[in-house]
Amino acid sequence: IFLNNNNFMQRLPENIGNTRAFYLTLANNKFFGPIPRGLFRAMASLTEVLLLDNLLTGCLPYELGFLKEAVVFDAGNNLLTGPIPFSLGCLKKVEVLNFAGNYLYGMVPEVVCALGNLANLSLSDNYFTTVGPICWNLIKKGVLDVRKNCIVGLPFQRSVWECAHFFARPRYCPYWATFTYIPCWLPHFKFPPLAASESAPSPS
């Protein structure tokens, strides 16, 4: 699916998940608003998702973890915020993940850094504060880019003032508990799997 609406702003279509496709290209448009939570559960066959260079806001839905065929997921240069859902650790085929140039924060999940096929994880120009030993290893290998974040002890990070200014403003993500849901079994991690038949709390 390829959409080009760069002459005007509009929300990401809610009904786009009704179409079976392998490629979703919405890059370089003026789509705004949050990523629909049900989009990727409906389009689990996608192998490539390009959402970069839009005006998308809100937090990443844990349903991204249902993209089990995904090889490329690129949502760089948007206005997304919140943490990275642990569910992305289920994307066993993914090779490229790009969330650079957003307002994401918190820890870089070890379950994501442990993805076996991952060749490029771009998280630069965000506000991440913590990386674990698996992620540190990816930084050393040049797979994980965390430049211009708020990680103490790493070079090329944001200034203390810039990080303090960002975190002084409260940021809210609905369904906070879903960020640790994992819709697959990861035997090397001590997180309970979330069965695919179970979903995160639905909007009331």
Side-chain angles (χ1 to χ4, degrees), residues 59-100:
C59 302
L60 295 171
Y62 100 97
E63 285 87 352
L64 293 180
F66 291 103
L67 290 173
K68 295 181 181 179
E69 300 299 318
V71 177
V72 175
F73 188 95
D74 192 335
N77 297 319
N78 278 283
L79 303 171
L80 299 166
T81 191
I84 291 181
F86 285 20
S87 64
L88 268 66
C90 295
L91 306 183
K92 297 179 181 179
K93 295 184 179 181
V94 78
E95 298 175 7
V96 176
L97 279 174
N98 180 24
F99 294 106

Side-chain angles (χ1 to χ4, degrees), residues 6 12 71 145 159 199:
N6 54 17
L12 199 61
V71 177
D145 184 358
S159 68
S199 62

Side-chain angles (χ1 to χ4, degrees), residues 146-191:
V146 287
R147 290 173 295 174
K148 204 174 180 185
N149 277 276
C150 300
I151 304 171
V152 176
L154 280 181
F156 309 112
Q157 299 297 294
R158 295 181 183 274
S159 68
V160 173
W161 179 90
E162 194 174 4
C163 293
H165 181 74
F166 175 83
F167 288 109
R169 180 181 177 182
R171 298 173 189 277
Y172 172 71
C173 285
Y175 313 113
W176 190 264
T178 67
F179 286 101
T180 57
Y181 285 175
I182 301 178
C184 65
W185 176 243
L186 300 176
H188 300 297
F189 291 91
K190 296 181 179 179
F191 299 108

